[in-house]
């Protein structure tokens, strides 16, 4: 059993559900496994080979399946690389490179080299947003455009708000589901499948617990590429108001959208992200 799971049975079940998603992927896709210094990394590749490249980085406790709803429209005119982050419940290695070093950027260097990419647009969600932003700061010449959904690393984490949302977690599956709904901000009936999937995943998966490093004002001012940021006004994980304010104040070519009633999960943002990606 990998150390990032609570049990072997839980690991098998998460990966079984993920493989079911991959087997019903909405568009033709190539499954690529790349050797990296952090171990094997799985990438799902869709779209025309000669189209502009876009690298997708999901959040904590997730895998490439989070992009299933947008992949058909995004891959029509873009070459899309959905990367399973290492150390997360996907098909990549369980390795967890230190966040307070250049280890994550070095891993992503290996991924880019393995894919034959010298430069690409990036879309990152939550922890994936932090990863994309870290790469853009450390490797600015390699990032064409940067789209960040509820990103870490700009507004600080808000542990007290998160703890309040997680207060029901000890009360079995019902309590975990209620806590997940509160953290994600997904209360509508149509979001029940997403809530159920996240609840099941975190019942079997052990997420990273260290705080995400926060990037400095100087780091943000150095971002010369176009940047698109979307945050939820009721995010329980990050100070989204501060995220929006810092990006507007310091990132030269930034567009910021605050979705007032949204929590940490941002739904229906695919068209806006696609417009941004195709603007270049």
């Amino acid at each position: 059993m990998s150390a990032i799971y609570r049990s072997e049975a839980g690991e098998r079940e998460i990966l079984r559900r993920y493989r079911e998603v991959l087997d019903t992927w909405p568009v033709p896709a190539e499954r690529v496994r790349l050797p990296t210094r952090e171990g094997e990394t799985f990438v799902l590749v869709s779209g025309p080979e000669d189209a502009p490249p876009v690298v997708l980085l999901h959040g904590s406790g997730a895998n490439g399946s989070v992009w299933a709803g947008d992949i058909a429209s995004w891959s029509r005119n873009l070459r899309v690389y959905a990367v399973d982050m290492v150390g997360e419940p996907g098909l990549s290695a369980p390795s967890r490179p230190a966040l307070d070093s250049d280890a994550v950027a070095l891993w992503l260097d290996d991924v880019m080299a393995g894919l034959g990419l010298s430069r690409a647009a990036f879309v990152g969600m939550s922890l994936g947003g932090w990863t994309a932003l870290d790469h853009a700061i450390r490797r600015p010449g390699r990032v064409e455009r940067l789209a960040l959904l509820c990103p870490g690393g700009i507004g600080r984490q808000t542990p007290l708000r998160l703890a309040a949302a997680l207060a029901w977690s000890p009360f079995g599956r019902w309590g975990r589901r209620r806590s997940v709904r509160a953290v994600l901000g997904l209360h509508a009936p149509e979001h029940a499948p997403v809530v159920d999937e996240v609840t099941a995943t975190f019942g079997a998966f052990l997420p990273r617990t260290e705080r995400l490093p926060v990037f400095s004002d100087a780091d943000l001012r150095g971002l010369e590429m176009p940047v698109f940021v979307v945050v939820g006004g009721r995010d329980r994980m990050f100070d989204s108001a501060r995220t929006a304010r810092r990006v507007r104040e310091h990132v030269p070519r930034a567009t910021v959208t605050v979705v007032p009633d949204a929590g940490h999960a941002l739904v229906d943002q695919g068209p806006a992200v696609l417009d941004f990606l195709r603007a270049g």
Side-chain angles (χ1 to χ4, degrees):
M1 181 187 70
S2 166
I4 68 174
Y5 295 98
R6 301 180 190 274
S7 69
E8 291 182 0
E11 177 181 4
R12 286 195 301 270
E13 178 60 18
I14 285 175
L15 297 183
R16 182 193 67 79
R17 294 198 309 271
Y18 183 29
R19 289 189 174 101
E20 284 185 352
V21 173
L22 294 178
D23 288 341
T24 58
W25 201 244
V27 296
E30 180 183 359
R31 302 181 187 188
V32 177
R33 296 181 182 273
L34 304 173
T36 76
R37 70 194 69 204
E38 297 293 340
E40 189 172 78
T41 297
F42 177 80
V43 185
L44 196 64
V45 186
S46 308
E49 292 186 14
D50 58 349
V54 180
V55 174
L56 308 183
L57 299 171
H58 60 76
S60 173
N63 50 47
S65 65
V66 301
W67 312 110
D70 295 310
I71 199 67
S73 60
W74 290 3
S75 65
R76 195 168 295 126
N77 300 109
L78 298 168
R79 182 71 163 171
V80 182
Y81 301 86
V83 179
D84 275 3
M85 302 261 287
V86 290
E88 300 301 326
L91 296 177
S92 293
S95 173
R96 288 178 167 169
L99 301 178
D100 58 351
S101 71
D102 64 351
V104 177
L106 290 170
W107 162 73
L108 203 44
D109 284 343
D110 292 345
V111 173
M112 294 281 283
L115 295 173
L117 299 176
S118 60
R119 187 173 172 87
F122 282 74
V123 180
M125 177 187 299
S126 193
L127 175 62
W130 182 93
T131 302
L133 184 54
D134 176 72
H135 205 69
I137 290 167
R138 295 178 185 271
R139 312 282 193 268
R142 308 195 71 180
V143 180
E144 185 76 33
R145 306 177 74 79
L146 185 61
L148 305 172
L149 305 173
C150 56
I154 306 175
R156 294 188 182 278
Q157 291 172 261
T158 52
L160 293 180
R161 283 190 289 183
L162 181 61
L166 294 176
W168 295 96
S169 296
F171 299 98
R173 181 175 173 81
W174 171 85
R176 290 197 304 272
R177 191 177 189 280
R178 180 166 178 170
S179 288
V180 166
R181 200 165 55 229
V183 171
L184 298 182
L186 297 179
H187 301 281
E190 62 266 28
H191 297 144
V194 175
V195 173
D196 289 341
E197 176 63 24
V198 174
T199 301
T201 296
F202 279 94
F205 173 71
L206 297 167
R208 300 185 73 141
T209 57
E210 70 270 46
R211 282 181 175 267
L212 290 177
V214 174
F215 301 106
S216 69
D217 293 349
D219 288 335
L220 298 179
R221 284 195 293 269
L223 296 171
E224 297 182 355
M225 72 289 294
V227 179
F228 178 55
V229 177
V230 186
V231 297
R234 297 184 178 181
D235 195 328
R236 299 279 194 122
M237 295 191 70
F238 300 117
D239 184 345
S240 57
R242 181 169 174 78
T243 296
R245 183 170 62 252
R246 291 190 69 212
V247 172
R248 286 170 174 152
E249 289 178 354
H250 301 297
V251 180
R253 302 173 65 189
T255 301
V256 180
T257 297
V258 178
V259 185
D261 295 327
H264 190 62
L266 296 168
V267 297
D268 303 325
Q269 295 302 313
V273 172
L274 179 59
D275 287 345
F276 169 75
L277 293 173
R278 298 186 65 185

